[in-house]
């Protein structure tokens, strides 16, 4: 049974409450829609004494991440949040956080990228930063947004990991929606999340060098070492999910399936529209169709073993992307799926659909269409099909 106080709460506020429960030391942020409710709530918590933290209001997202680099490097538990163009403005510093092994946690209220200017949600910003070396998870609803935020600190700060973590929450679809959720108890969070003990904190009395010059003689080795350590983080990610279940009840996993046990066709989704897609699965199941759903929660490192196992009995995979891969044949998640399947025995046929760009609604009926159409064209399709586009 899930533990905590059942409340009605906006997704953004649920994230801010999780940051407070985690006894975060430093919050540095520049407000940008649709992330603003997260950092405004944290600013209020710090101002009224609910959260004993330093709140650093900066003049840009690049400065926000730069401040986070410094605070994390001295061993402070550090949080920020951003979205869309703001995530792109801090892009350069994202690599430094990962390669310096700084356990920063960041909520990303996913937003479309300009131009044209859009403040509404899709996954364009996610795909632009997928190779930055951050652990990345997707929340499907307000409960997951709350839980995964303090779970992220647990994983990021583990001495076996020490990588930054992004928690993706769909802009407006999730960040601004009020829904029932369990607000976790402080005592339980304290049992789950130990104090941050960063092993090599910057201190004038014990000088260390971070982010030093890397000539060709050592650069390749440092990047290889970073990737090996990043892949090893999977073990701690799984351990974090397991211990979360012991204390709080819900069992999270890198890949989640729905009605998939005997399904010939699986619809693959990420983020908040997964719940809409589940309605389509229910409708088609009632009509006797052997369809199911696969939701990707852990995006980086990609859960290859869990994914291959989950699709091993499927004949057809239908992949729904909320971002374009300009010049590519299919959406970015579909590319990942095809790469994961390449060389596998009994490889399922794959179909690619893209929709929900810039906040465009995707209905359960449209997911039904994708499944039906995908079963017809999978294996024959040469490029993606755009959903809901006027041509």
């Amino acid at each position: 049974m899930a533990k905590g106080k059942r409340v009605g709460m906006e997704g953004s506020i649920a994230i801010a409450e999780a940051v407070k429960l985690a006894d975060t030391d430093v919050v540095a942020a520049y407000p940008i829609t649709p992330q603003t409710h997260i950092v405004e709530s944290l600013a209020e918590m710090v101002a009224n004494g609910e959260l004993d933290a330093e709140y650093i209001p900066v003049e840009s997202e690049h400065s926000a991440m730069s401040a986070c680099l410094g605070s994390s490097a001295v061993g402070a538990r550090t949080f920020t949040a951003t979205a869309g163009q703001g995530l792109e403005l801090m892009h350069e510093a994202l690599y430094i956080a990962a390669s310096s092994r700084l356990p920063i946690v960041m909520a990303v209220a996913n937003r479309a990228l300009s131009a044209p200017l859009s403040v509404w949600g899709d996954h364009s910003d996610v795909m632009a930063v997928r190779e930055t070396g951050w652990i990345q998870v997707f929340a499907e609803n307000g409960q997951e947004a709350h839980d995964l935020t303090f779970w992220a600190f647990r994983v990021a700060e583990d001495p076996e990991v020490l990588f930054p973590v992004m928690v993706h929450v769909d802009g407006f679809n999730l960040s601004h929606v009020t829904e029932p959720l369990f607000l976790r108890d402080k005592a339980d969070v304290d049992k789950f999340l130990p104090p941050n003990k960063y092993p090599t904190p910057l201190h004038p009395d014990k000088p260390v060098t971070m982010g030093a010059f890397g000539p060709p003689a050592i650069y390749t080795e440092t990047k290889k070492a970073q990737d090996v350590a990043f892949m090893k983080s999977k073990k701690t990610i799984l351990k974090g999910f397991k211990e979360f279940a012991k204390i709080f009840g819900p069992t999270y996993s890198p890949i989640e399936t729905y009605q998939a046990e005997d399904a010939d066709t699986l619809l693959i989704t990420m983020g908040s529209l997964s719940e809409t897609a589940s309605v389509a699965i229910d409708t088609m199941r009632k009509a006797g169709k052997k369809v199911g759903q696969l939701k990707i929660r852990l995006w980086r490192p990609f859960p290859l073993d869990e994914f291959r196992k989950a699709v091993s009995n499927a004949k057809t995979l239908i992949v729904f992307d909320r971002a374009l891969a300009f010049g590519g044949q299919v959406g970015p998640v579909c590319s990942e799926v095809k790469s994961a399947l390449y060389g596998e025995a009994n490889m399922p046929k794959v179909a690619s659909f893209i929709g929900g760009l810039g906040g465009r609604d995707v209905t359960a009926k449209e997911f039904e269409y994708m499944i039906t159409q995908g079963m017809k064209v999978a294996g024959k399709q040469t490029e993606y099909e755009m959903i809901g586009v006027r041509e």
Side-chain angles (χ1 to χ4, degrees):
M1 180 178 177
K3 293 178 67 178
K5 181 182 179 182
R6 189 165 170 81
V7 298
M9 186 171 285
E10 183 186 291
S12 292
I13 310 304
I15 293 170
E17 290 289 341
V19 174
K20 183 177 75 173
L21 286 169
D23 290 330
T24 302
D25 298 312
V26 174
V27 177
Y30 184 83
I32 178 173
T33 304
Q35 153 266 41
T36 40
H37 288 189
I38 302 172
V39 296
E40 286 173 352
S41 297
L42 287 168
E44 188 175 346
M45 290 174 182
V46 173
N48 65 20
E50 288 181 66
L51 174 60
D52 183 15
E54 292 292 331
Y55 189 97
I56 308 174
V58 290
E59 85 287 0
S60 75
E61 287 83 358
H62 190 281
S63 296
M65 185 49 59
S66 298
C68 288
L69 296 178
S71 65
S72 186
V74 299
R77 179 165 287 165
T78 301
F79 176 84
T80 189
T82 192
Q85 301 298 132
L87 183 61
E88 301 316 307
L89 185 53
M90 64 170 60
H91 194 118
E92 175 199 24
L94 297 177
Y95 290 94
I96 299 170
S99 55
S100 300
R101 309 290 296 273
L102 298 172
I104 300 161
V105 171
M106 175 163 64
V108 181
N110 308 129
R111 166 179 159 176
L113 297 178
S114 299
L117 175 65
S118 172
V119 298
W120 291 274
D122 67 27
H123 294 167
S124 304
D125 53 357
V126 181
M127 298 307 155
V129 301
R130 62 176 169 171
E131 318 300 4
T132 52
W134 284 56
I135 294 168
Q136 299 184 45
V137 290
F138 271 84
E140 183 177 338
N141 50 46
Q143 186 68 68
E144 292 189 14
H146 179 66
D147 292 344
L148 291 174
T149 298
F150 58 81
W151 168 90
F153 284 112
R154 162 69 184 262
V155 171
E157 295 170 358
D158 190 295
E160 298 293 321
V161 177
L162 297 177
F163 280 107
V165 179
M166 288 185 203
V167 179
H168 293 292
V169 292
D170 287 342
F172 291 112
N173 292 82
L174 182 48
S175 63
H176 283 58
V177 170
T178 297
E179 56 184 303
L181 57 89
F182 289 96
L183 191 65
R184 304 305 181 187
D185 293 335
K186 182 71 173 72
D188 288 335
V189 174
D190 288 344
K191 279 192 288 187
F192 176 74
L193 179 61
N196 182 22
K197 294 182 179 178
Y198 189 65
T200 56
L202 291 176
H203 193 282
D205 295 338
K206 295 180 180 178
V208 297
T209 298
M210 300 182 72
F213 181 65
I218 65 165
Y219 185 83
T220 300
E221 286 73 18
T222 60
K223 291 293 108 177
K224 176 67 177 178
Q226 180 182 339
D227 191 48
V228 170
F230 191 66
M231 296 305 289
K232 284 184 178 177
S233 70
K234 173 89 173 294
K235 181 180 176 183
T236 304
I237 288 168
L238 297 177
K239 181 181 176 185
F241 284 147
K242 189 174 180 181
E243 296 192 6
F244 185 96
K246 285 181 184 175
I247 294 176
F248 299 103
T251 301
Y252 292 121
S253 55
I255 296 285
E256 186 174 313
T257 56
Y258 179 69
Q259 304 242 40
E261 292 77 13
D262 62 342
D264 293 328
T265 300
L266 289 175
L267 173 65
I268 298 176
T269 57
M270 292 199 309
S272 62
L273 290 182
S274 297
E275 295 196 340
T276 308
S278 297
V279 175
I281 298 296
D282 288 341
T283 301
M284 297 186 76
R285 274 280 171 176
K286 287 177 183 174
K289 307 289 185 183
K290 293 176 72 174
V291 299
Q293 187 178 1
L294 185 153
K295 308 171 188 178
I296 299 174
R297 178 174 290 115
L298 178 63
W299 176 230
R300 282 293 182 274
F302 188 78
L304 190 60
D305 294 339
E306 290 86 350
F307 176 82
R308 286 175 173 168
K309 182 179 179 182
V311 304
S312 59
N313 294 322
K315 297 177 181 175
T316 306
L317 302 182
I318 295 158
V319 187
F320 175 66
D321 270 281
R322 291 194 69 187
L324 278 159
F326 295 107
Q329 290 183 310
V330 296
V333 177
C334 191
S335 290
E336 191 86 25
V337 165
K338 286 191 169 185
S339 175
L341 294 172
Y342 185 77
E344 288 290 290
N346 303 316
M347 178 178 168
K349 296 176 181 177
V350 180
S352 172
F353 292 88
I354 295 175
L357 302 184
R360 181 75 63 87
D361 284 340
V362 181
T363 66
K365 280 289 182 189
E366 286 174 315
F367 278 112
E368 287 183 48
Y369 165 79
M370 283 182 249
I371 296 168
T372 303
Q373 181 67 7
M375 287 191 285
K376 295 177 184 174
V377 302
K380 307 170 190 171
Q381 186 191 49
T382 57
E383 60 182 15
Y384 66 85
E385 178 178 338
M386 183 78 82
I387 293 301
V389 65
R390 298 186 298 276
E391 294 182 297

